[in-house]
Every structure is written in C-alpha cells, then in structure tokens.
Amino acid sequence: MAMKKAATAAAALGNQTLAARILYRSPLQRHLHATPGSKKIVGVFYKANEYASMNPNFVGCAEGGLGIRDWLESKGHQYIVTDDKEGPDSELEKHIPDLHVLISTPFHPAYVTAERIKKAKNLQLLLTAGIGSDHIDLKAAAAAGLTVAEVTGSNVVSVAEDELMRILILVRNFLPGYHQVINGDWNVAAIAHRAYDLEGKTVGTVGAGRIGKLLLQRLKPFNCNLLYHDRLKMDPELENQIGAKFEEDLDVMLPKCDVIVINTPLTEKTKGMFDKERISKLKKGVLIVNNARGAIMDAQAVADACSSGHIAGYSGDVWYPQPAPKDHPWRYMPNHAMTPHISGTTIDAQLRYAAGTKDMLDRYFKGEDFPAQNYIVKEGKLASQYL
C-alpha cells in the first residue's frame, strides 16, 4: 500500500512542461526506449549492512535494491546491485561495457564521466533514484543520445524539512549544548552567548524551485524576513501568500541575510559560486545551510571563514566528492553541523523514489514516455536548469 501511494504521489508531482525546461540539443541519439530482449540493469546504492534488516521499507540501500529485483527478474532482465563504484577495478566498471540501464542515487553517486559513457556501448538510460543528476556528465550524455531522468519531486519535502531543522540548530547554537551533555559538562554561558531567536531574522534562499518554495512556506510562521533569488520569479499569488521578496541580483541579496540557504542545482555556472571573494561580502556572523551540492561552495574558503568567525555556522549534508574523504576540511572546521548525505533519503522519500524509478523502467520497457518533468536529457536536449 505504501509503495502504491508513493507511486501515485511521484507521478503527480510537478507540472513543469518539457518545452519550458529543455534548451540544449544534440543531433546524435541512441534508442530512447528499450530494444527487444533482456536488459542488463545495474544499480549503485550505499550499503546498509546490519541496518538493512531493521526496516522492511529500507529500500534505498544496496541490500534493498529499490525493491525491484523480483519484478525485474520476473520479466527476464538481469539486475546487478553494488556499492563499489570508483576506479578501474570497481564492480561498476566491470559492467560498464555491456549494461543497458544504470541507476544511481545522489547519496552514493556513481560518477558517470564522458569516458564511461564512451565505453558503455549498450547504454540507453541513466536513472537517478532521487533528485539531482550532476554526478553525470550531462553534455556527454546528450551528445551520445542517452536518456537521463530522475524522480522529480520525490524527496523535496524531506529536504525542505531537513533544511528547517538545520537553520534552527545553527540559530540556537544547539550542538555545543548537546556535546556538553554527552561529555558530562554544564556551561550555559558557552551556549547562550551565540544563541538567537529565528523570529525577525532575514533568511534568503539561493534558488526557489520545489525545495526552496517549500522551505519558504515552512519559514513563514517564524515571522522571518524572507528573500529569494532565482532565475524565475515565482507566481505573484504564491509569493504574496508566503510573504517572500524576490531579489534579482544575488550579490545584492546575500549581504542582507542572517541565514543563507542553498537550493540551486550544481551546474557549470554554480560550481564554486561561493568562493573566497563572495563569502567575504557576506554579513559577518552569517549562517549557511547547504543541502544542494557541496561543489557549489569553495570548500577551503568555507572552512577558513568558519575558522575566522566570518561564517558563524555552516550546516549541510552534501560534500564533494561523496563519500567525503577523511581529510575533508569541513570535518574539522569550527561551528559546523555537517552530516553524511541523508536529507533526501528518509524512508518516506525512499518509497517515493523507488516507486518512481520502477514506473520509469516500466515505461522504458513498454516504449512509453516518462512524466515530462522527470527528463534531464531527452533526444539530445539538456534541461535548462543544467545549462
């Protein structure tokens, strides 16, 4: 029943037309839909180990395999699931030459480079179980005529809720208090000297798509001053309901903000957009939440600004690369509330993106189109938000 509800929800999410999203086109195209016969499908997911059996709905891990193994094998297809994705000797690399479909997630991404695309002679379809396909070289995929799709909308609620939580954790200086308790200490002053109310603060979101809008809606009851920057202005009625103000110039908006939330895709334009120079222009003591993509930030510039106090707190669940290496500077910078990439992989989100992935595979086998909003690359065209 949960899977059925999730499938319905995933199919209903989003109303953006393909024409509005897709601008880039390449003349080369592989088969958009499945050719006859058995297909080799490879899924790359994180390993759950002892946690795999603790929840029957834990389908987003390697052991769960999105819950589609029996269905795929009953149709005569080969389904291989692995967490081993990096390097020339990885399990994924062994299957690149003859796989037809590759499924990955943003939480344990299989980086699909132009080199891998060139080796994958049978590859037709790249699916992201979740949202965010920047782990794929999208221009190379478009040039090769591949189809790239994701389960648009499947985890927007999960991520927006997580962002709100992180804002409150930073504003109230929660983590030092938690660490005091587990360490047997008690020092109220050490927490209170930099703890504030959220009410009355200026919160700006860089990007106001599905997640950004949901976050702004959830922030309204806190009586914040809400700002947003996006390439598209939201519907005036919705903007009025939320009480958010559109800021056309990002660099005009950012210095006004007490809290900045990143909600923009990782593209060539946004990669490294928060560098040392831009960070230096932010309000001293700013708080930053980033559940979008780690590479939007200059990692060392963020760490340095946290160390100097220019950034008073940084929280997020995205890193580059993922999994993050042990020497990543964000692990050791002060006043951070970082986690592994978890915000969009709640059990509820897993059920939604598993159902959406199954739906797209079923359509692929039948030669049917996907929901328009799910396409990232179709017929050599690249979705506009990735340009």
Side-chain angles (χ1 to χ4, degrees), residues 184-241:
D185 299 328
W186 188 281
N187 187 345
V188 174
I191 306 161
H193 81 285
R194 57 195 309 272
Y196 296 87
D197 295 337
L198 182 54
E199 183 175 56
K201 302 300 182 292
T202 297
V203 182
T205 175
V206 182
R210 290 176 174 85
I211 295 171
K213 287 186 181 73
L214 286 179
L215 175 65
L216 290 170
Q217 288 172 333
R218 282 154 175 75
L219 283 168
K220 184 179 180 181
F222 287 88
N223 297 318
C224 303
N225 178 30
L226 301 176
L227 306 176
Y228 75 95
H229 169 80
D230 197 272
R231 59 192 179 89
L232 299 173
K233 199 171 185 291
M234 70 175 68
D235 177 79
E237 184 178 350
L238 178 61
E239 187 179 78
N240 186 58
Q241 288 174 357

Side-chain angles (χ1 to χ4, degrees), residues 181-321:
V181 170
I182 61 176
N183 292 327
D185 299 328
W186 188 281
N187 187 345
V188 174
I191 306 161
H193 81 285
R194 57 195 309 272
Y196 296 87
D197 295 337
L198 182 54
E199 183 175 56
K201 302 300 182 292
T202 297
V203 182
T205 175
V206 182
R210 290 176 174 85
I211 295 171
K213 287 186 181 73
L214 286 179
L215 175 65
L216 290 170
Q217 288 172 333
R218 282 154 175 75
L219 283 168
K220 184 179 180 181
F222 287 88
N223 297 318
C224 303
N225 178 30
L226 301 176
L227 306 176
Y228 75 95
H229 169 80
D230 197 272
R231 59 192 179 89
L232 299 173
K233 199 171 185 291
M234 70 175 68
D235 177 79
E237 184 178 350
L238 178 61
E239 187 179 78
N240 186 58
Q241 288 174 357
I242 295 173
K245 179 186 175 184
F246 176 67
E247 293 276 353
E248 187 173 1
D249 190 325
L250 176 63
D251 289 314
V252 170
M253 181 187 84
L254 291 176
K256 300 176 182 177
C257 297
D258 301 298
V259 181
I260 296 169
V261 186
I262 313 301
N263 277 310
T264 189
L266 175 63
T267 68
E268 291 179 5
K269 292 179 180 178
T270 64
K271 185 175 182 180
M273 71 184 296
F274 279 81
D275 56 12
K276 182 178 180 180
E277 181 180 1
R278 180 164 270 147
I279 290 172
S280 71
K281 297 175 182 177
L282 304 180
K283 183 182 293 188
K284 182 174 173 56
V286 68
L287 304 174
I288 299 178
V289 171
N290 179 16
N291 281 1
R293 287 295 181 267
I296 292 171
M297 320 300 289
D298 179 319
Q300 191 59 53
V302 169
D304 291 343
C306 283
S307 295
S308 72
H310 194 92
I311 295 176
Y314 184 93
S315 184
D317 70 332
V318 287
W319 310 66
Y320 184 79

Side-chain angles (χ1 to χ4, degrees), residues 23 57 70 79 87 92-93 118 138 161 174 189 224 227 230 259 261 290 296 301 322 349:
L23 299 175
N57 291 322
D70 290 346
Y79 187 39
L92 172 60
E93 197 71 24
K118 188 175 180 180
L138 295 175
E161 287 185 359
F174 172 83
C224 303
L227 306 176
D230 197 272
V259 181
V261 186
N290 179 16
I296 292 171
Q322 290 188 176

Side-chain angles (χ1 to χ4, degrees), residues 12-124:
L13 281 166
N15 57 6
Q16 202 172 15
T17 65
L18 184 61
R21 299 179 72 227
I22 294 176
L23 299 175
Y24 178 81
R25 181 163 193 152
S26 168
L28 183 62
Q29 180 184 342
R30 300 190 194 184
H31 294 287
L32 181 60
H33 302 297
T35 51
S38 174
K39 294 290 171 287
K40 183 175 184 177
I41 299 160
V42 175
V44 178
F45 313 109
Y46 56 81
K47 268 211 156 187
N49 299 310
E50 69 271 24
Y51 303 103
S53 61
M54 293 185 177
N55 189 329
N57 291 322
F58 192 0
V59 296
C61 57
E63 293 84 347
L66 301 183
I68 57 176
R69 179 176 297 282
D70 290 346
W71 173 70
L72 285 172
E73 292 180 349
S74 72
K75 293 182 173 295
H77 302 298
Q78 184 183 10
Y79 187 39
I80 295 163
V81 172
T82 183
D83 72 316
D84 184 16
K85 62 190 179 72
E86 303 297 338
D89 299 321
S90 65
E91 184 69 16
L92 172 60
E93 197 71 24
K94 295 175 187 176
H95 299 292
I96 289 289
D98 63 345
L99 58 78
H100 297 89
V101 179
L102 176 60
I103 307 169
S104 185
T105 74
F107 319 107
H108 188 74
Y111 293 102
V112 183
T113 61
E115 182 182 4
R116 278 181 163 172
I117 288 172
K118 188 175 180 180
K119 290 179 183 177
K121 302 299 184 183
N122 293 337
L123 181 60
Q124 297 174 340

